[in-house]
Amino acid sequence: MYYKVEAYTASEKAGKILYDQGITPTYVSDNPVSNSQHVVFEAAKAYANGLDYHVALAGVTSASAELLGLGDRIGKIKEGFDADVVVWDSDPLSIAAAPVQVWIDGAPQFEKPVELKKPETQPITPDVELQEDRSSAEMSNVIFQNLKRNLLTASEVPTSKQKSNVIVTDGSITCVGSCHSELQIATSKKYTVIDLKDGYLTSPLIAFGSSLGLLEIDAEKDTQDGGYDDESFARAVDGLSLGGKQLKTAWEHGVTRAITAPSRGSIEAKGVSVGFETDAKSLLDVGAVFNEEVAAHYPMTLRAKSPSLSAAIGELRSKLLKAAKGKKKDKDEDPDKFSEDYYLKEVVAGKLPLVISVHKADTIASLLKLKDEVEEALNKSSHLSSKPKTLRLVILGGAESYLVASDLAARNVPVVLAPLLPFAQSWDQRRSLPGAPLSNGTAIDILLDHGVEVAVGVNEEWETRGLRFMAAWAWANSQGRLNESQALDLVGKNVYDILGLDVGVEVENWLVWDGNPLDIGSRLVAVGTQGRVTAWM
Amino acid sequence: MSGGNRTRANGCLSSCRGLYTREVCSLADLAKVYSSAEIRVRVAFEMKLPDDDGLPTYDTAVSGRRRRTWTNRRRSRTLFRYVMISCILFVGYYITTIARNTHTNSTVLSISKLREQYTSCQALREVPSGPTGPRSFNKRWVNGTRSVFIRNATVWVGEPAPGTSEEDARRGVGYAWIKSDVFIDRGLIVKVASAINVKTLPTGYDVYDAKGRQLTAGIVDMHSHLGLGGFAGLGDDINELSGDITPYVRSIDGFNALAPEVQWIKSGGVTTSLLLPGSGNNMGGEAFVIKLASGKSSGREEISQEDMWADPDKTWRYMKMACGENPKSVYGKIGRGPFSRLGEAWEFRHALEQAKKHVESQDDWCRTADQFGVENMKEYLPSDLQWESLGAVLRGQVRVNTHCYTIADLESYVRHTNEFKFRVYAFHHAHQTYLVPEILKRAYGGTPAAALFADNSKIIFDHICTF
């Protein structure tokens, strides 16, 4: 949200506050800054952030039309209005709503619209509780009543008709279920009681791919660690800046951890990434950093040409082959620790994943070929009996990755889509799939169909607060490919798996939601991390 | 003689007619008035009278010339008497002249051109209303497009049910999703009712079964640069960065009616967009409302900018302006501005001042033509394309949409609206508006809306990164 200093005081409650003051809020795309295709989702988020449901919908229809002086021509379904009509596959303010047909001046606009299989739903019943201001409180002993679903990754329990409880003692979950005896003890010890309507228990979310922790205001260099150049190969942990508004916002949206590499903004990164807690106050605090060296990163986006993409790939190949050839036992050849050569040794030894920021299908194909070449060199010298060595390549970005889905699957190369819904903003993303009604699904659906391991990352910091929405989007349009747990894993467990990391202790790291986090109208009620609990009431 | 001269000439004339309402022409000057209307004009010009309201004009600002104040009342009264007499004599003279006016314009001006120009006075003065009123067909309708009967939909009308109090409506009360059919004919929504009896419908329509799904009006995105930015980041016609003040350029001139994004944006339900120039300039240019249908596959007869115009009657005009960070970062260099927000405010006011003079010169011409007959005009209607569109802003014919983030930007801009009396319809991005609603309420002519992102957007410097 804080992309320039002029926006640093922005609030996602702005629409509601303005409307309460008699000022009309409308929602806009600024296409191509954001994709106008999804401008209705701006209204949906405005509703989630406290604006009245109908006012939010008017903010992309009738209110906008009126401001254009065309309030008696467009923006309403009334006799005498232009026949500009949309029939939606779900409530327009639900997540991932798409038209099944659009008419302009009475003419149908899609000859063969793709209609996704979605369950039939009723219009959203506006929840006025979303309009309430809440304040946060720290606590350690809590009873959450009326849990509907437990979606904690490892302990998925079948939905029971009977609502259950979550009991948290000293910040850790001590019981999920009816918990009769625990409940008695907790009640007698005067635990805080939080009554939910439809409670959901999930793992926290993780943001991978952005500059979170290295950047506070996108357009202000002073607020950033700085980028990288051809020579540098820095460790993000050395530039970590904690405690800003970006991180606070992420944390308040359930994103308790981030993995960040030295970055030029968006997915473009070079160096070694760090994994850290978004609510950490200091690098030196215990537990602030959960992994100092997550992966080695290189960019292969349009800006990575040095002087060309072919030269950049060639250079990376040379470096990896050199690292592969180096004899481990010869101490003279051991590179300095913390140098690029050192990390590349770790990469070819299979200890560090190699994350490449790339959107274009052709470049991904070149990288897969590079992986084959390096692996061939690695395995040439090794014994036949030993396990073949592999280069742990990870694709970050991946707008066009679906075009090489089978090749990715054949090589077990995972993809972290960042963002989930790219569009032809740049030449290397031009074949991004728009989804229904124009295409049957987007990149994620095709990747999943081919068995590619997929996660959803963050392209720019502002997207962090929308991570749950992206999980929800993938789920709503997956046509059964994903269940709710698997959808949330896209922004949680899958990131850890892809990077070979440990998820952490589950009972100590959790989120409690009121309402399904994959629905637009749910709210985060509590965050538990490392034995601390913050609840919003 | 330029239009600007004419403004002041007529300004003087009207002040004489209006007697003591303003500063007056001197006796000597007035004597000359009797001899020749042409001299009258020239004399008045040389006097450099200020404009109609209390704002310092550009001329007075740069020359340091002050208005005369009424410090010497006796002298003033004497002068006043002379003026009274002079004006009465003058009016008498003029009435006689008009009565005897059987001869044609003695100059070389074309009477037919003057008469033609005079007809445009009406349009200059007109403030748009509507478009409203019943229509038998939509002018954008392409003949041959089949009628559609949408059955079994769940409809959101877009306004509260009839009879809802304003107070309730503001709380979202009265809006609802209703089970309904919709009949579309001749490009219009003709009937919205539950269980429409098909016998009441004209024959020859397609049936679309909505299966209970939700139906709304097409989405209206009032801040878009689609078709201007170039596909996949190639090419860019969003900002005319040849200068900071370019109210005279038009986004439509750079719009690609075949832009691929038209199709994919429409696949999100967007049917109408306000095509704004970018925010690199304080005054970016005229904007246009288009519908996202282009070419035969979208039911149109052609691929063209003209065919996408949402309101074929072109009732309203639109303009994009921008405050703050972008223009100063584009233009700000030592010795070249706007360097800061201070300079931007000057750029705004200076431009508005030029437009104001232009408007006044035209208004004076029209008023004089009204009173003395267009055949007697010694000059053609003043025309200046550079300030025409901004003049239309001051005439209330243009819906201004302005990119402003901060309190300083908002407050400064609101001051401009009051100083030059024009309305801003919406502040865009407007991230700090929620902190200062009272400032917005002070804007001239009505409280502007706030066109927002829900929780942010991307950082590509609002389209000025590509230069």
Side-chain angles (χ1 to χ4, degrees):
Chain A
M1 188 139 211
Y2 312 119
Y3 53 97
K4 53 169 104 173
V5 68
E6 284 80 3
Y8 197 56
T9 48
S11 164
E12 54 188 30
K13 289 254 175 212
K16 180 206 182 313
I17 294 167
L18 285 165
Y19 190 73
D20 289 348
Q21 291 289 329
I23 290 165
T24 304
T26 64
Y27 290 88
V28 297
S29 72
D30 202 3
N31 190 82
V33 172
S34 74
N35 185 357
S36 179
Q37 181 190 350
H38 301 309
V39 71
V40 73
F41 187 53
E42 292 297 308
K45 288 185 287 187
Y47 162 65
N49 290 331
L51 184 62
D52 177 84
Y53 171 92
H54 297 285
V55 175
L57 192 47
V60 285
T61 53
S62 48
S64 311
E66 221 153 275
L67 284 164
L68 297 176
L70 301 172
D72 288 331
R73 284 279 188 274
I74 57 173
K76 291 178 185 175
I77 300 296
K78 280 181 77 178
E79 288 161 19
F81 274 60
D82 287 5
D84 300 344
V85 175
V86 184
V87 174
W88 300 89
D89 68 2
S90 53
D91 191 292
L93 298 193
S94 65
I95 297 165
V100 294
Q101 185 54 283
V102 175
W103 289 264
I104 294 181
D105 301 305
Q109 298 297 305
F110 300 105
E111 200 185 342
K112 289 177 183 167
V114 175
E115 189 175 331
L116 298 180
K117 288 184 210 88
K118 288 188 183 179
E120 279 181 32
T121 49
Q122 294 299 308
I124 288 172
T125 306
D127 181 0
V128 290
E129 283 185 20
L130 292 171
Q131 301 177 16
E132 291 167 6
D133 284 325
R134 303 180 303 164
S135 52
S136 65
E138 307 260 328
M139 53 193 71
S140 50
N141 299 317
V142 204
I143 303 165
F144 295 100
Q145 291 182 333
N146 292 324
L147 185 76
K148 189 180 179 189
R149 294 285 302 277
N150 175 5
L151 295 173
L152 276 182
T153 307
S155 59
E156 163 110 38
V157 290
T159 315
S160 61
K161 283 182 182 170
Q162 200 182 359
K163 288 184 177 175
S164 51
N165 305 302
V166 180
I167 298 179
V168 175
T169 306
D170 293 331
S172 291
I173 296 172
T174 46
C175 184
V176 181
S178 52
C179 307
H180 289 301
S181 54
E182 292 87 346
L183 198 59
Q184 279 183 343
I185 299 165
T187 309
S188 68
K189 287 187 174 173
K190 297 202 162 56
Y191 279 28
T192 308
V193 177
I194 296 179
D195 197 21
L196 306 167
K197 279 192 294 185
D198 278 319
Y200 277 72
L201 180 60
T202 74
S203 292
L205 316 182
I206 183 164
F208 175 50
S210 72
S211 311
L212 214 56
L214 293 180
L215 173 155
E216 184 64 358
I217 302 173
D218 306 55
E220 296 292 338
K221 284 187 178 165
D222 288 358
T223 73
Q224 304 166 8
D225 176 50
Y228 54 82
D229 62 20
D230 283 352
E231 309 304 318
S232 69
F233 200 80
R235 303 187 330 144
V237 67
D238 294 333
L240 211 51
S241 298
L242 300 168
K245 281 174 92 166
Q246 297 272 18
L247 289 169
K248 182 167 186 283
T249 307
W251 193 78
E252 287 172 352
H253 286 74
V255 182
T256 65
R257 283 179 166 185
I259 297 172
T260 297
S263 167
R264 279 184 183 166
S266 82
I267 58 166
E268 294 175 65
K270 187 183 176 205
V272 181
S273 48
V274 61
F276 64 99
E277 305 283 331
T278 56
D279 69 332
K281 297 288 176 286
S282 158
L283 180 65
L284 303 176
D285 288 350
V286 176
V289 170
F290 67 87
N291 193 313
E292 277 200 11
E293 295 172 350
V294 174
H297 291 248
Y298 286 88
M300 288 294 165
T301 50
L302 294 179
R303 285 205 296 172
K305 294 176 186 178
S306 177
S308 59
L309 271 177
S310 51
I313 287 173
E315 195 187 338
L316 180 62
R317 183 197 290 112
S318 301
K319 285 178 181 173
L320 287 165
L321 289 175
K322 186 184 157 205
K325 275 182 198 159
K327 289 169 190 163
K328 280 180 190 171
K329 285 174 186 172
D330 186 352
K331 282 190 177 175
D332 294 340
E333 284 197 23
D334 266 358
D336 291 341
K337 190 152 197 276
F338 308 125
S339 70
E340 182 178 7
D341 288 348
Y342 168 80
Y343 291 110
L344 286 174
K345 284 243 179 226
E346 297 278 291
V347 166
V348 294
K351 290 179 189 165
L352 270 188
L354 176 67
V355 179
I356 310 284
S357 315
V358 56
H359 282 305
K360 191 177 170 185
D362 307 271
T363 314
I364 297 173
S366 298
L367 289 163
L368 293 179
K369 195 157 177 295
L370 179 152
K371 173 179 154 73
D372 293 347
E373 289 156 358
V374 173
E375 285 174 357
E376 196 188 323
L378 278 172
N379 292 312
K380 205 183 271 177
S381 54
S382 63
H383 301 291
L384 286 171
S385 56
S386 64
K387 200 181 161 195
K389 289 175 181 168
T390 57
L391 192 67
R392 290 168 57 198
L393 180 65
V394 175
I395 302 299
L396 174 63
E400 295 188 353
S401 60
Y402 72 93
L403 288 167
V404 288
S406 58
D407 302 304
L408 289 161
R411 289 164 180 81
N412 288 320
V413 173
V415 175
V416 181
L417 291 166
L420 173 71
L421 303 168
F423 64 111
Q425 229 179 352
S426 56
W427 183 249
D428 55 348
Q429 303 180 70
R430 75 189 188 282
R431 291 174 287 188
S432 300
L433 288 177
L438 286 177
S439 67
N440 190 356
T442 56
I444 191 168
D445 302 299
I446 293 166
L447 293 172
L448 287 171
D449 285 347
H450 282 84
V452 178
E453 195 175 5
V454 184
V456 173
V458 176
N459 181 38
E460 286 162 353
E461 293 63 46
W462 70 274
E463 298 166 7
T464 311
R465 67 179 78 205
L467 269 180
R468 81 163 167 106
F469 294 138
M470 291 303 102
W473 201 293
W475 171 65
N477 282 355
S478 71
Q479 306 194 87
R481 290 180 182 91
L482 298 167
N483 63 29
E484 285 153 297
S485 282
Q486 290 165 332
L488 287 166
D489 285 347
L490 293 172
V491 290
K493 182 175 174 292
N494 292 10
V495 174
Y496 294 91
D497 288 350
I498 284 170
L499 297 170
L501 302 171
D502 183 15
V503 173
V505 184
E506 224 175 11
V507 292
E508 286 184 4
N509 296 290
W510 47 267
L511 306 174
V512 168
W513 307 78
D514 207 356
N516 186 341
L518 301 181
D519 283 342
I520 189 75
S522 60
R523 294 195 299 181
L524 184 62
V525 174
V527 177
T529 50
Q530 298 182 317
R532 296 187 304 275
V533 179
T534 302
W536 287 269
M537 290 179 288
Chain B
M1 195 174 286
S2 80
N5 302 346
R6 177 67 80 177
T7 310
R8 290 174 200 92
N10 292 321
C12 172
L13 195 59
S14 61
S15 70
C16 290
R17 280 198 303 275
L19 300 179
Y20 51 83
T21 55
R22 307 183 38 94
E23 289 188 54
V24 291
C25 311
S26 74
L27 192 61
D29 292 337
L30 282 165
K32 291 175 190 167
V33 167
Y34 291 107
S35 58
S36 151
E38 184 60 33
I39 294 170
R40 184 186 80 226
V41 167
R42 190 167 299 127
V43 167
F45 167 58
E46 283 158 4
M47 292 178 61
K48 283 192 180 172
L49 287 178
D51 288 276
D52 278 343
D53 73 2
L55 292 169
T57 64
Y58 173 70
D59 286 339
T60 53
V62 297
S63 68
R65 188 179 183 277
R66 285 204 193 150
R67 278 176 191 228
R68 284 173 57 190
T69 50
W70 293 80
T71 46
N72 188 332
R73 291 197 167 248
R74 181 176 299 170
R75 209 178 105 204
S76 304
R77 249 179 261 127
T78 313
L79 185 62
F80 173 69
R81 284 189 202 110
Y82 280 121
V83 171
M84 284 281 282
I85 294 161
S86 307
C87 284
I88 290 164
L89 285 171
F90 169 71
V91 169
Y93 161 79
Y94 224 97
I95 288 168
T96 334
T97 311
I98 292 166
R100 286 184 294 137
N101 184 17
T102 50
H103 67 277
T104 51
N105 195 317
S106 59
T107 65
V108 290
L109 299 190
S110 151
I111 296 294
S112 63
K113 185 174 173 183
L114 283 170
R115 284 181 179 146
E116 189 190 320
Q117 289 186 332
Y118 186 52
T119 60
S120 66
C121 285
Q122 175 66 20
L124 286 176
R125 291 161 175 158
E126 213 161 41
V127 177
S129 64
T132 52
R135 292 176 290 173
S136 59
F137 71 102
N138 175 348
K139 281 187 187 171
R140 284 186 44 83
W141 175 62
V142 174
N143 199 347
T145 307
R146 284 175 64 83
S147 314
V148 187
F149 177 41
I150 303 175
R151 288 179 54 231
N152 189 23
T154 306
V155 172
W156 191 76
V157 173
E159 65 181 22
T164 308
S165 73
E166 201 172 313
E167 194 185 329
D168 278 350
R170 278 207 68 78
R171 289 187 292 119
V173 176
Y175 290 88
W177 288 97
I178 50 169
K179 296 282 177 201
S180 182
D181 299 337
V182 177
F183 185 66
I184 291 169
D185 188 25
R186 296 178 171 223
L188 288 180
I189 295 167
V190 173
K191 203 168 170 74
V192 184
S194 61
I196 294 176
N197 183 351
V198 292
K199 287 178 187 163
T200 64
L201 302 179
T203 52
Y205 54 81
D206 293 334
V207 177
Y208 183 92
D209 186 355
K211 299 174 189 163
R213 292 194 186 279
Q214 287 167 264
L215 181 153
T216 67
I219 299 300
V220 180
D221 184 353
M222 58 179 285
H223 188 140
S224 187
H225 309 284
L226 84 159
L228 295 172
F231 173 66
L234 310 181
D236 183 351
D237 285 301
I238 296 178
N239 284 286
E240 178 47 47
L241 298 181
S242 55
D244 179 51
I245 300 294
T246 59
Y248 43 80
V249 304
R250 304 175 296 188
S251 66
I252 197 88
D253 289 321
F255 175 68
N256 174 12
L258 202 54
E261 63 262 38
V262 170
Q263 199 64 6
W264 85 61
I265 289 171
K266 182 166 59 191
S267 81
V270 180
T271 55
T272 306
S273 288
L274 176 60
L275 265 189
L276 292 170
S279 54
N281 290 354
N282 280 133
M283 293 190 185
E286 281 196 74
F288 296 82
V289 181
I290 56 144
K291 293 229 191 153
L292 276 68
S294 176
K296 292 208 162 50
S297 61
S298 298
R300 309 303 301 173
E301 284 180 317
E302 58 183 60
I303 298 166
S304 72
Q305 300 164 340
E306 185 71 23
D307 187 61
M308 295 173 79
W309 220 293
D311 174 16
D313 294 332
K314 302 180 170 123
T315 311
W316 285 96
R317 295 168 72 179
Y318 307 88
M319 188 176 287
K320 171 75 178 291
M321 299 194 194
C323 314
E325 64 289 344
N326 288 345
K328 72 173 196 175
S329 76
V330 171
Y331 296 103
K333 288 193 179 99
I334 303 287
R336 184 190 169 197
F339 189 90
S340 68
R341 286 178 161 84
L342 285 62
E344 289 186 20
W346 158 252
E347 295 290 349
F348 276 122
R349 297 173 67 223
H350 185 200
L352 287 159
E353 177 80 352
Q354 305 306 306
K356 184 167 181 263
K357 286 178 188 171
H358 177 58
V359 166
E360 285 170 351
S361 72
Q362 290 186 321
D363 286 353
D364 286 343
W365 189 92
C366 290
R367 213 178 303 131
T368 310
D370 284 346
Q371 288 173 357
F372 304 109
V374 71
E375 294 83 358
N376 295 311
M377 299 306 288
K378 303 295 180 197
E379 281 182 9
Y380 291 122
L381 175 68
S383 143
D384 187 348
L385 204 51
Q386 186 177 4
W387 300 116
E388 186 279 331
S389 58
L390 192 55
V393 167
L394 299 179
R395 293 181 182 283
Q397 298 165 342
V398 181
R399 291 189 170 232
V400 176
N401 286 266
T402 303
H403 158 130
C404 276
Y405 280 72
T406 66
I407 295 171
D409 290 335
L410 294 163
E411 195 158 18
S412 176
Y413 196 88
V414 163
R415 262 198 303 274
H416 306 328
T417 69
N418 284 302
E419 182 177 356
F420 292 93
K421 299 188 172 31
F422 69 97
R423 183 168 173 190
V424 55
Y425 282 79
F427 283 119
H428 290 241
H429 303 291
H431 281 307
Q432 288 193 337
T433 49
Y434 78 100
L435 297 169
V436 290
E438 55 283 355
I439 291 177
L440 270 63
K441 288 174 187 172
R442 288 201 287 268
Y444 179 83
T447 304
L452 305 164
F453 303 128
D455 59 5
N456 195 18
S457 195
K458 305 197 178 194
I459 171 68
I460 55 171
F461 297 88
D462 306 67
H463 345 292
I464 57 164
C465 64
T466 48
F467 72 99

